[in-house]
Amino acid sequence: AQSVTQLDSHVSVSEGTPVLLRCNYSSSYSPSLFWYVQHPNKGLQLLLKYTSAATLVKGINGFEAEFKKSETSFHLTKPSAHMSDAAEYFCVVTSSWGKFQFGAGTQVVVTP
Amino acid sequence: GAVVSQHPSWVICKSGTSVKIECRSLDFQATTMFWYRQFPKQSLMLMATSNEGSKATYEQGVEKDKFLINHASLTLSTLTVTSAHPEDSSFYICSTQRQGGGETQYFGPGTRLLVL
């Protein structure tokens, strides 16, 4: 069985400072991992994905994530937060059937 | 990323009526589409997997007779909420998956349903 845990339900950062969103997963096989962002009342936009190639994955809008198998983690980072980064972020792990298992989400607030 | 549209973007209906939500894959032919619902401040929960030309596969606890899914073409899937009740009020989101394109899902903008 697969599961995904987002360790922080809320993260508040100042504009221009780094952002770290933590995600741990468990899986009985080698899954694919994704980060999606959702702005209020909108659908989900793909930020990046890990599919067993490079462990450091670069995504859109300056985001990147590092897959650490030993720690079963896939944390999302951005060096400098922008006001437009305020949104809900979801970490996703795939099941053996290709279905998505969503984390509970992390709400990011960016203050001026 | 791929473009997925949903229609309508929001709908208000009376209890007991049925509501149809359309999901269209605009960039590619999607053999598989997924339907999710999302309650306020919560994550997405998979309702069903829609395969073109065959019956949808529903997740445990989702009533297939209440949430009718039709995937009649490679670019269109519909979700009909039959005899809607206030507890069906939610944000419904579809996603598409490209055949041979890996596991990435591309999500629609969602449909907000309010049942009075």
Side-chain angles (χ1 to χ4, degrees):
Chain A
Q2 290 68 233
S3 68
V4 57
T5 302
Q6 292 183 242
L7 300 170
D8 308 289
S9 59
H10 281 82
V11 168
S12 182
V13 297
S14 299
E15 188 176 21
T17 64
V19 181
L20 169 64
L21 305 183
R22 298 181 295 168
C23 174
N24 285 102
Y25 72 93
S26 67
S27 178
S28 55
Y29 76 114
S30 296
S32 295
L33 294 155
F34 301 79
W35 276 99
Y36 283 84
V37 61
Q38 183 181 33
H39 288 91
N41 298 309
K42 302 291 185 183
L44 277 69
Q45 180 183 20
L46 176 66
L47 283 177
L48 49 81
K49 63 180 178 180
Y50 167 76
T51 54
S52 75
T55 56
L56 183 61
V57 182
K58 293 188 182 298
I60 62 171
N61 301 336
F63 285 94
E64 64 181 36
E66 186 171 7
F67 174 75
K68 292 185 176 180
K69 187 174 181 179
S70 61
E71 300 177 9
T72 61
S73 69
F74 190 56
H75 301 334
L76 181 71
T77 60
K78 183 173 181 177
S80 177
H82 191 272
M83 296 298 291
S84 61
D85 294 327
E88 187 88 16
Y89 291 78
F90 293 98
C91 182
V92 176
V93 62
T94 56
S95 71
S96 57
W97 297 101
K99 292 182 182 178
F100 275 19
Q101 180 74 44
F102 282 82
T106 298
Q107 183 73 44
V108 172
V109 174
V110 183
T111 56
Chain B
V3 179
V4 180
S5 70
Q6 280 186 241
H7 179 80
S9 57
W10 61 271
V11 58
I12 301 173
C13 68
K14 294 182 179 180
S15 186
T17 61
S18 294
V19 175
K20 180 185 283 188
I21 302 170
E22 293 185 348
C23 176
R24 292 184 183 273
S25 177
L26 301 181
D27 284 358
F28 58 82
Q29 293 181 330
T31 53
T32 304
M33 291 186 177
F34 301 87
W35 286 96
Y36 296 84
R37 67 186 299 181
Q38 184 181 32
F39 291 107
K41 306 295 184 183
Q42 295 188 26
S43 189
L44 278 75
M45 297 297 295
L46 179 64
M47 298 176 66
T49 302
S50 169
N51 295 296
E52 189 267 339
S54 63
K55 292 183 178 180
T57 303
Y58 290 82
E59 295 300 300
Q60 192 172 9
V62 177
E63 299 176 59
K64 63 179 181 180
D65 294 330
K66 181 168 186 61
F67 298 99
L68 301 178
I69 292 173
N70 187 306
H71 193 157
S73 78
L74 289 173
T75 58
L76 174 65
S77 177
T78 60
L79 167 68
T80 302
V81 183
T82 62
S83 186
H85 291 282
E87 58 265 30
D88 299 323
S89 299
S90 189
F91 194 49
Y92 292 87
I93 305 175
C94 72
S95 71
T96 64
Q97 195 172 58
R98 188 195 303 261
Q99 186 178 25
E103 297 168 302
T104 302
Q105 292 183 25
Y106 301 94
F107 288 83
T111 297
R112 177 75 60 190
L113 171 62
L114 177 60
V115 184
L116 303 177

